[in-house]
Amino acid sequence: MMTIKVNGEIKHADVTADTPLLWVLRDVLGLTGTKFGCGVAQCGVCTVHVAGKPVRSCVLPIGAVGQREVVTIEAIGEQPNGAKIQKAWLDLEVIQCGYCQSGQIMAATALLNQTPVPDDSDIDAAMAGNLCRCGTYVRVRQAIKHAAAEV
Amino acid sequence: MTGRRRLLAGAAAALVALGGALAWWMLPPRAMDFAGDGAVALADYRGPSPVGVPAELAGASLVARGKYLTEAADCEACHTATGGTPYAGGRAFITPFGTLYAPNITADVETGIGAWSDADFLRALHKGIARNGQRLYPAFPYESYTLIADEDVKAIRAYLFSLPPRHAPSPPNRMKFPFDQRWLMGFWSLFYNSDRRFAPLPERSPQWNRGAYLVEALGHCGDCHTPRNLAQALDNRRKFAGGVVDGWRAYNITQDRTAGLGDWTDAQIADYLRRGHTVGRGSAGGPMAEAIDLSLSKLSPGDIDAMVAYLRAIPPVRDRRQAAVKTAPAADSHRTMATAAPLGAALGKQMFEGACVSCHGWSGQSLITPDATLVGARSVNDAAAANVALAVLSGVQRPAPSLSMPAFARAYSDAEIAAVSNYVTARFGAKASSLTAKDVAKLRAQSAP
Amino acid sequence: MVTPLAPRRPPSSAPKATRRAVLGAAASGAFLLGFHAPLGRSVQAQDADSAFNAFIRIDRDGAVTLIIPQVEMGQGIYTALAMVLAEELDADWSRVSVAHAPENGRLYGNPLLGEQITGGSSSVRAFWTPMRQAGARARACLVKAAAERWGAPPQALRTEAGVVIHPASGRRLTYGALAAHAATLSPPSAPSVKSPRDFRLIGKPLRRLDTPTKTDGKARYGIDALPEGVKFATLRISPVLGGRVARVDPAPALATPGVRQVVVLEDVVAVVGDHMWAAKRGLDALDIVWDDGPNARVDTDLIWRRLREASRRTGAIARDDGDAETALAKGPGRAFTAEYEMPLLAHTCMEPLNCTVDVRADGVEVWIGTQVMTRVRAIVAETTSVPIEKVKINQHLIGGGFGRRLEADMAGWAARIAMQVKGPVKVVWTREEDVRQDYYRPAYHDILWARVRKGRITAWKHRVTGSAIAARYAPVAYKAGIDPDGVDSARDMPYNIADARVEFVREEPPGIHTGWWRGVGPNNNVFAIESFIEELARRARQDPIAFRLAHLDRAPRLRSALALAREKSGWDQPLPARCGRGVAVQGAFGSFIATVVEVAVDDHGEVRLRRVTSCVDAGVVINPNSVIAQLQGGLIYGLSAGLYGEITLKDGRVQQSNFHDYRALRIDQTPPIEVHLIPSGEAPGGIGETGTTASVAALRNAVYAATGVALRQMPVKAKAIAKGVRL
Ligand code: FES
Ligand code: FES
């Protein structure tokens, strides 16, 4: 039995320690907002925050999470930067199919947490790991700047 | 003497001297000569036997013991094609002299070794001669296997014969003249194969002797880690100072503190051998990862410790080109870079931020698993960066998903892979590499698909 | 979790919340009563919603639910069609929510494509008129109801944002108050629709309705379905098309923690477990021996060899104006010819293929996001031998379709596996399976011939050789050896050339499936034509835009798009060394577009995108924001393909597997993309695929301008540039 703290709650899952956090969230805990796209850390749709850092949950064994707190898309809106990013995403109509957007929003929120006013190179560095097959990149960039400009 | 004569005599003397030097260089010492005289025949050795299987397996069946020894000798790595049936052969070895294919060593009578007797098998391992009398190429490391005790060779054969035979003819070798003349290998053997069994040194500890047997006879570590001379023989004057296999650098594993393992703790070396990773020292890739997964990871803890004890005795060999490994992490931001921007920096950074940073982190310390931490790894501190580029090209396939990495060869260009390799060595290593697209093209040709 | 639409929220709930609650829900069929049917019992029993027609429901509180027949996969169709309905209905936009239509080809069939299908950039084109009429009819009923109530003539009444008003008396009634009565009235058969100058909603960049739940993880895609008791499975299909499982020992999978069952069928092995990881680890542990069958030797070279050989044949004639053969053979001017090749491509939708199926004694239930509800239902019924009315499909949001979800194969595989499993099972393709079991965009080989005299093309011939997807997918459309999609944008290419001939040679690649891919046939044809035109222009030493304009005398909408592109892209501004601009124009899908791509190419042949400008006349634009987004996204999808896209085979197996070897453009490689809309009163054109079609030719032409290397094969590879033909 593995125990983790997700979105402020203690959760238990009967899985082996090598099980990636992604599948525990989605299939065991029913938190399907975090998506599966590649399973090899190449697309970013599975991004969650672990101890405040953006992490690809598809390759993070649950056994490696330990006491560190996990925050997913379902709760990111409770954080000031998460809410700001969500709002900017709607204001600028970033979203198309939306499948990658949980990951984009988690990565963008982590970026604002670390760099309140990011420039283009900061955005590249933080967001290049997040693929979007619908091609929302132009607006992702705009929305991050828009959110950063909001007080 | 006329000037002309003097000149001739001088030239002759120089020639003799050169010949002597060449002979000296061409006839290096044997693998264990560094340890001094005093070796005794196995039969005369009084301590616990350094050969065979560890005590835990002493009572096991012949086949079970054979399995352990087969794994310790890592037969599977060479005798299995990528994705193919273990031991059924077919793996290609691209050498400067042509391409060799590993033979099928399952017990299939027609295409494998099903017709081989113990004596045939012993002759192959000890003398490098196949059942049909053909000389074997030293790609098959019989200069090491010659040290394996007779009983152990027989156990290995028993194990191979216990597996289901596979009908699998190997493709014919494609060696260039004159290397396609197998009889020439007879001369090679004359010089480089001692044809002597392992002889322990009574003044060393039983653990040391066991380690020596594992490292030299079964493990044949020198095959990769010892540089070779012109005749492709192991240059044991620089024993374990590093070599090259399939383009990969097999690093210096002497006791040199900078270039080798001198400043690793016993536990660190043991960890690396057991699982291909040591916290703060990096992870194995390429042929070493394969050796760990197929062989070293299967050895008993006692045997690993014995190997460590033996490695501790290897005289240090300096290597001026090898800088000290940098152990401090890089800045946790894309903005800061300790060294000057390397060749192709913008492209390298672009590839890194897209495909690499998710696992390896800007600091080089992975948020996912310590196995993906690059800080402290020899490979990123090697200014040749061959292993970095090869890891990017062919990925790392390990049984644990967290140890694996995708292969980027198919979709990324030579320039991109050169750029990211240079970026990685600059960011995490002591000195930036300066690979070019051409260098990567060469490595690509040597790596898999 | 999937909430059926029928049990409704309490009337007091805020509009925003209802929108969220309804989206991602699958509609139950019960309340849908046909076009003119009065309120039915089943609906009355549940709540007080009034159904006006297949598309519109209004509850007594005034909340409007619009049933959208086309599925949402990011193109913004829920919002666009809702805007059209709400416009004519004169609904209060803040009270509008949308729901997926259930499977019902009669009610929700796509008038352009003849079945319930979302594809071909057809949604707005197909539903523009029916939706306007549906909205107008419902509005007429509401007005009539108020008129009866007040004893006033309907012509004396007007509507605005959810209320009917009698201006003379100042009386007002909300739609909610009138709904029950209005729904019983029969609507006029030919309702009058609004004049565009009265549009309140159409043309405004309204907020999309489907996006709020996509920011907080609540949106439900097919892969998120979690019916009670669901188990998780992943599968390995024979890696060679037509291969079979020779043998497999299930033991190692069964020994994996969390694995419940191993399903071995003729051509697929699936492992069922408590979660995806268990299933995946179990599957990885298996040593499956395949019998590869007849396609074991297929490789990319063979596919190309056969295409090239086939392209030597004369094809079926799709267009034959004047006498192209004679004009080419002995007309005046110089003759040119060139051959172009487009590779096989995978879709790699961000959401990997998946389908959840529960085979029960009383029927089959399916949870899926699909572009083809009808086909999914049919294939599941056929596979399970269950009567079609006992197959229930729960439609979900789609995490990227791009044409892949125009196939129903995933439902077939999942149903076959589910038949062996007790209770619902969610079958999820790993990315590797998703890439390797795709229905690929066909490879094409195009040959073009032309004669040019004094800067004018006098004769033209274009032979397209490739797979005829229509022949498999919609056989009725495949006539006389011509796949209409295969020659789309070639037979109707915009340049005015008197002697012009277009041929199609069908050649099916062995060992793989081909299928629709974003941009479909026009991708290939626009690429080949615009590449060839570019070469002709440069050989005639003419400016590529001027050369095109000279031949576009019959295409005024393209002319203005091109002129705008010249201005907006800075076409006439000088560029640094090894930089270049490429242009492409197209009239595909009823939209008229000129696109300019600007690139820099370094000494190694690495291409960097600098800027993209696209000028679009898409007719009446319903939601400009969505149209611009579709263009941006489509361009990026195409640029990914143009730079990296290529599926190759060896020993019958697809060699690519995941994003590390099948690349897509990332944000740090994406340049600024400007889209300019040209105001237009023409009927709306399709837009979802146009950017993709536009981008590859423009990219290729930009590389040509930067390096002088005329690439004839896609994708643009550094090596190809280094070795390419300089013209
Ligand atoms: S699913 Fe984790 S990065 Fe793609
Ligand atoms: S919005 Fe569809 S993949 Fe990004």
Side-chain angles (χ1 to χ4, degrees):
Chain A
M1 190 61 77
M2 306 299 301
T3 302
I4 49 168
K5 194 168 176 200
V6 182
N7 299 338
E9 286 175 46
I10 302 290
K11 299 278 185 188
H12 305 282
D14 185 13
V15 296
T16 52
D18 70 333
T19 308
L21 176 62
L22 173 67
W23 302 113
V24 178
L25 293 172
R26 287 182 54 81
D27 294 356
V28 181
L29 305 179
L31 291 168
T32 55
T34 305
K35 302 301 188 203
F36 162 58
C38 69
V40 294
Q42 289 297 305
C43 78
V45 304
C46 65
T47 306
V48 300
H49 290 185
V50 176
K53 297 251 183 185
V55 174
R56 307 294 184 239
S57 65
C58 67
V59 288
L60 179 67
I62 188 169
V65 176
Q67 308 291 308
R68 294 181 294 165
E69 181 137 0
V70 178
V71 174
T72 70
I73 186 71
E74 282 88 351
I76 199 67
E78 291 158 21
Q79 296 180 9
N81 279 333
K84 246 200 231 177
I85 289 286
Q86 285 173 329
K87 182 172 175 299
W89 250 236
L90 293 176
D91 286 349
L92 275 87
E93 290 282 19
V94 170
I95 300 168
Q96 294 192 27
C97 85
Y99 193 79
C100 74
Q101 299 296 343
S102 300
Q104 305 277 4
I105 288 169
M106 296 306 284
T109 304
L111 167 60
L112 282 201
N113 287 344
Q114 211 193 350
T115 312
V117 187
D119 65 14
D120 280 327
S121 79
D122 296 321
I123 293 173
D124 287 344
M127 306 301 295
N130 289 76
L131 286 178
C132 173
R133 287 295 274 153
C134 294
T136 60
Y137 301 133
V138 175
R139 294 181 182 201
V140 164
R141 189 181 294 283
Q142 287 166 348
I144 289 173
K145 292 181 178 168
H146 180 86
E150 208 131 289
V151 219
Chain B
M1 253 195 271
T2 64
R4 192 185 156 83
R5 278 206 178 159
R6 230 177 300 141
L7 202 71
L8 272 176
L15 217 65
V16 170
L18 201 72
L22 198 69
W24 178 84
W25 184 55
M26 292 295 278
L27 290 173
R30 304 285 181 204
M32 288 177 64
D33 287 0
F34 75 92
D37 305 330
V40 297
L42 196 55
D44 303 331
Y45 181 64
R46 293 290 149 249
S49 172
V51 304
V53 295
E56 306 88 285
L57 278 175
S61 69
L62 179 64
V63 168
R65 283 181 282 137
K67 178 171 195 284
Y68 186 90
L69 294 163
T70 306
E71 286 168 352
D74 201 6
C75 308
E76 186 178 341
C78 291
H79 288 282
T80 309
T82 331
T85 307
Y87 306 110
R91 174 165 178 169
F93 292 86
I94 301 160
T95 76
F97 318 107
T99 303
L100 287 170
Y101 293 90
N104 178 351
I105 56 165
T106 69
D108 184 60
V109 175
E110 216 179 301
T111 63
I113 58 167
W116 293 38
S117 66
D118 272 345
D120 295 333
F121 199 61
L122 278 161
R123 184 163 73 143
L125 265 71
H126 288 161
K127 300 190 198 306
I129 302 173
R131 179 167 181 269
N132 62 5
Q134 264 190 355
R135 287 282 171 177
L136 298 172
Y137 288 105
F140 174 57
Y142 51 85
E143 82 285 9
S144 297
Y145 288 168
T146 201
L147 297 168
I148 303 177
D150 288 9
E151 288 316 302
D152 289 355
V153 173
K154 290 181 199 166
I156 289 173
R157 179 180 162 280
Y159 171 67
L160 292 173
F161 273 63
S162 75
L163 301 172
R166 250 317 155 101
H167 185 88
S170 300
N173 295 332
R174 283 176 289 130
M175 295 299 277
K176 298 177 201 152
F177 184 82
F179 306 102
D180 56 349
Q181 302 300 304
R182 282 173 174 270
W183 54 270
L184 284 175
M185 299 305 130
F187 291 105
W188 192 91
S189 286
L190 202 63
F191 288 114
Y192 301 118
N193 182 14
S194 71
D195 193 13
R196 273 192 234 143
R197 304 301 88 76
F198 179 71
L201 280 93
E203 75 269 25
R204 302 284 182 155
S205 73
Q207 192 190 34
W208 187 97
N209 278 298
R210 173 65 180 167
Y213 185 66
L214 287 162
V215 166
E216 302 295 353
L218 294 166
H220 61 284
C221 304
D223 220 49
C224 296
H225 286 280
T226 299
R228 291 177 186 269
N229 66 18
L230 263 185
Q232 292 302 301
L234 301 180
D235 176 9
N236 282 315
R237 283 190 191 87
R238 296 171 44 80
K239 184 180 175 59
F240 289 173
V244 176
V245 232
D246 299 342
W248 291 80
R249 300 260 167 149
Y251 288 116
N252 183 322
I253 53 170
T254 71
Q255 284 300 298
D256 186 74
R257 294 188 66 84
T258 310
L261 301 178
D263 69 341
W264 290 43
T265 66
D266 286 359
Q268 286 179 325
I269 302 174
D271 247 15
Y272 202 87
L273 293 176
R274 243 192 296 275
R275 51 184 302 265
H277 171 74
T278 295
V279 175
R281 299 280 191 191
S283 294
M288 187 63 193
E290 193 177 53
I292 283 154
D293 292 334
L294 296 175
S295 172
L296 295 160
S297 63
K298 317 252 167 123
L299 299 188
S300 74
D303 274 357
I304 292 288
D305 291 343
M307 292 177 83
V308 174
Y310 178 72
L311 288 174
R312 281 284 181 230
I314 308 297
V317 180
R318 262 257 116 106
D319 183 346
R320 293 204 184 285
R321 287 162 310 171
Q322 187 62 63
V325 165
K326 182 174 152 191
T327 51
D332 195 16
S333 155
H334 70 101
R335 290 182 170 275
T336 329
M337 188 96 151
T339 38
L343 212 61
L347 191 60
K349 182 179 181 215
Q350 191 172 70
M351 185 171 166
F352 187 80
E353 69 194 4
C356 316
V357 77
S358 296
C359 284
H360 297 296
W362 286 109
S363 68
Q365 283 176 317
S366 174
L367 282 173
I368 304 290
T369 158
D371 303 308
T373 285
L374 297 175
V375 177
R378 172 64 74 195
S379 55
V380 301
N381 283 277
D382 173 4
N387 289 12
V388 173
L390 281 162
V392 176
L393 281 164
S394 46
V396 180
Q397 284 81 39
R398 306 285 312 273
S402 65
L403 289 167
S404 298
M405 163 171 154
F408 293 89
R410 197 176 291 288
Y412 288 79
S413 68
D414 294 336
E416 283 177 304
I417 289 172
V420 79
S421 303
N422 295 338
Y423 184 79
V424 161
T425 51
R427 188 163 186 91
F428 307 115
K431 187 167 180 284
S433 59
S434 45
L435 285 182
T436 63
K438 272 214 184 84
D439 298 332
V440 173
K442 274 191 215 129
L443 291 168
R444 187 190 284 272
Q446 276 169 303
S447 73
Chain C
M1 230 97 20
V2 175
T3 349
L5 184 65
R8 300 303 299 268
R9 69 269 173 193
S12 59
S13 63
K16 216 174 177 185
T18 63
R19 215 173 274 165
R20 288 182 186 199
V22 174
L23 261 170
S28 74
F31 69 95
L32 290 150
L33 306 166
F35 222 73
H36 305 292
L39 203 62
R41 257 169 308 148
S42 55
V43 173
Q44 261 174 335
Q46 283 168 4
D47 56 41
D49 285 4
S50 300
F52 285 82
N53 49 47
F55 307 115
I56 298 171
R57 297 169 47 157
I58 302 176
D59 75 10
R60 66 173 155 231
D61 187 41
V64 176
T65 303
L66 303 175
I67 318 299
I68 307 297
Q70 299 281 285
V71 63
E72 180 62 59
M73 44 190 178
Q75 78 281 44
I77 199 64
Y78 278 3
T79 313
L81 293 186
M83 283 171 71
V84 178
L85 278 168
E87 179 73 66
E88 295 295 345
L89 180 63
D90 244 349
D92 175 358
W93 183 248
S94 70
R95 308 296 316 274
V96 167
S97 59
V98 293
H100 303 290
E103 195 280 322
N104 186 329
R106 194 174 54 84
L107 289 182
Y108 299 114
N110 179 322
L112 274 188
L113 305 174
E115 58 178 298
Q116 195 168 349
I117 196 170
T118 309
S121 296
S122 65
S123 297
V124 168
R125 287 182 289 159
F127 283 97
W128 169 245
T129 304
M131 287 303 199
R132 291 182 78 191
Q133 289 176 345
R137 284 204 187 95
R139 179 179 160 277
C141 292
L142 289 158
V143 168
K144 212 162 157 194
E148 285 178 16
R149 213 56 91 82
W150 294 327
Q155 311 82 269
L157 309 183
R158 61 178 190 83
T159 54
E160 71 179 31
V163 287
V164 184
I165 300 168
H166 184 226
S169 65
R171 277 181 292 190
R172 303 163 67 88
L173 273 172
T174 65
Y175 283 7
L178 292 164
H181 180 194
T184 64
L185 303 174
S186 60
S189 55
S192 59
V193 294
K194 284 186 182 175
S195 140
R197 56 170 193 279
D198 296 331
F199 286 162
R200 290 187 300 117
L201 302 173
I202 290 174
K204 297 232 166 68
L206 295 186
R207 288 285 183 104
R208 274 174 56 169
L209 299 173
D210 59 318
T211 43
T213 59
K214 290 176 175 177
T215 64
D216 60 10
K218 294 209 179 68
R220 289 287 175 269
Y221 300 81
I223 205 169
D224 301 328
L226 287 173
E228 192 61 33
V230 71
K231 292 201 257 308
F232 303 83
T234 192
L235 77 180
R236 188 150 306 139
I237 300 169
S238 168
V240 179
L241 186 65
R244 287 148 195 274
V245 180
R247 58 178 180 282
V248 61
D249 172 13
L254 292 170
T256 306
V259 168
R260 292 293 161 120
Q261 190 181 343
V262 175
V263 176
V264 181
L265 302 174
E266 201 189 0
D267 48 1
V268 61
V269 177
V271 175
V272 184
D274 294 340
H275 46 80
M276 178 71 172
W277 185 245
K280 184 176 181 326
R281 289 300 275 165
L283 191 59
D284 288 346
L286 293 178
D287 179 14
I288 309 170
V289 182
W290 299 98
D291 171 358
D292 287 343
N295 290 319
R297 297 250 96 87
V298 172
D299 61 15
T300 321
D301 286 346
L302 175 73
I303 291 174
W304 281 123
R305 227 174 22 248
R306 288 175 51 161
L307 268 180
R308 286 168 196 155
E309 276 165 24
S311 73
R312 306 295 136 193
R313 298 200 299 262
T314 303
I317 296 170
R319 164 180 176 175
D320 204 3
D321 295 351
D323 184 357
E325 292 293 3
T326 314
L328 282 169
K330 38 179 145 31
R334 273 181 74 191
F336 296 96
T337 181
E339 306 189 17
Y340 299 93
E341 291 184 337
M342 288 286 252
L344 295 167
L345 294 175
H347 297 80
T348 58
C349 309
M350 220 55 245
E351 177 191 6
L353 295 185
N354 63 85
C355 180
T356 305
V357 181
D358 187 6
V359 179
R360 294 187 293 257
D362 63 341
V364 182
E365 189 165 358
V366 179
W367 294 261
I368 189 171
T370 176
Q371 294 174 253
V372 282
M373 288 259 265
T374 319
R375 287 184 183 222
V376 163
R377 198 172 180 207
I379 199 173
V380 170
E382 190 188 313
T383 308
T384 56
S385 308
V386 164
I388 197 147
E389 52 297 347
K390 297 218 165 133
V391 176
K392 183 182 169 194
I393 311 290
N394 299 284
Q395 174 70 296
H396 286 256
L397 291 169
I398 290 184
F402 312 131
R404 181 64 183 92
R405 287 177 164 94
L406 283 170
E407 303 293 341
D409 60 309
M410 63 297 263
W413 293 107
R416 284 174 62 200
I417 291 160
M419 287 169 75
Q420 313 296 321
V421 179
K422 213 170 144 343
V425 58
K426 172 155 76 184
V427 185
V428 176
W429 276 238
T430 58
R431 175 60 65 191
E432 290 75 11
E433 282 295 288
D434 179 279
V435 169
R436 291 178 171 158
Q437 301 294 338
D438 205 341
Y439 279 61
Y440 303 96
R441 199 289 300 275
Y444 291 99
H445 183 98
D446 289 54
I447 312 180
L448 290 106
W449 295 265
R451 212 169 249 285
V452 181
R453 183 162 173 265
K454 294 198 182 138
R456 275 295 300 211
I457 305 171
T458 54
W460 176 270
K461 185 162 94 164
H462 182 180
R463 182 182 295 154
V464 183
T465 304
S467 165
I469 306 169
R472 167 183 66 84
Y473 194 88
V476 288
Y478 180 70
K479 286 193 207 96
I482 293 172
D483 178 347
D485 171 64
V487 294
D488 189 354
S489 293
R491 127 162 88 190
D492 51 340
M493 61 99 172
Y495 301 108
N496 184 14
I497 302 163
D499 296 301
R501 176 171 170 137
V502 176
E503 298 176 10
F504 182 76
V505 179
R506 180 182 181 189
E507 176 63 30
E508 296 298 334
I512 48 148
H513 292 297
T514 58
W516 310 117
W517 191 91
R518 190 178 197 178
V520 289
N523 277 332
N524 174 58
N525 293 324
V526 170
F527 165 71
I529 293 168
E530 287 302 287
S531 298
F532 192 49
I533 287 279
E534 188 79 9
E535 291 183 27
L536 296 181
R538 291 190 187 267
R539 301 254 206 125
R541 300 192 186 286
Q542 288 203 19
D543 169 71
I545 288 185
F547 186 75
R548 282 175 172 80
L549 284 172
H551 294 84
L552 286 171
D553 39 334
R554 298 230 183 121
R557 293 173 77 186
L558 275 183
R559 287 180 65 87
S560 41
L562 199 47
L564 189 64
R566 164 166 234 139
E567 175 199 329
K568 297 290 184 188
S569 67
W571 182 262
D572 297 304
Q573 309 303 313
L575 282 172
R578 292 195 71 86
C579 290
R581 292 191 190 95
V583 65
V585 300
Q586 64 180 51
F589 310 102
S591 291
F592 299 83
I593 303 184
T595 304
V596 175
V597 169
E598 189 178 309
V599 300
V601 184
D602 77 7
D603 303 338
H604 295 294
E606 297 294 326
V607 175
R608 193 164 53 79
L609 301 168
R610 286 165 54 98
R611 185 178 171 193
V612 179
T613 312
S614 201
C615 298
V616 189
D617 170 356
V620 171
V621 163
I622 295 172
N623 189 328
N625 216 347
S626 291
V627 168
I628 292 169
Q630 280 303 293
L631 249 303
Q632 290 170 332
L635 286 161
I636 289 172
Y637 197 76
L639 290 169
S640 286
L643 286 171
Y644 309 122
E646 185 176 29
I647 286 289
T648 56
L649 284 89
K650 185 164 184 265
D651 299 330
R653 291 155 164 80
V654 168
Q655 294 183 288
Q656 290 70 19
S657 62
N658 206 324
F659 292 118
H660 63 278
D661 56 13
Y662 193 81
R663 286 172 79 176
L665 215 60
R666 295 180 177 278
I667 194 171
D668 55 353
Q669 302 165 297
T670 301
I673 299 179
E674 284 170 43
V675 176
H676 301 277
L677 298 183
I678 299 171
S680 167
E682 305 276 346
I687 211 69
E689 305 178 75
T690 52
T692 303
T693 297
S695 51
V696 182
L699 166 71
R700 178 265 179 205
N701 290 341
V703 171
Y704 185 22
T707 61
V709 175
L711 293 174
R712 298 279 175 77
Q713 273 139 353
M714 290 292 104
V716 172
K717 277 193 258 187
K719 272 215 183 88
I721 295 175
K723 287 194 302 207
V725 213
R726 280 173 179 279
L727 292 179

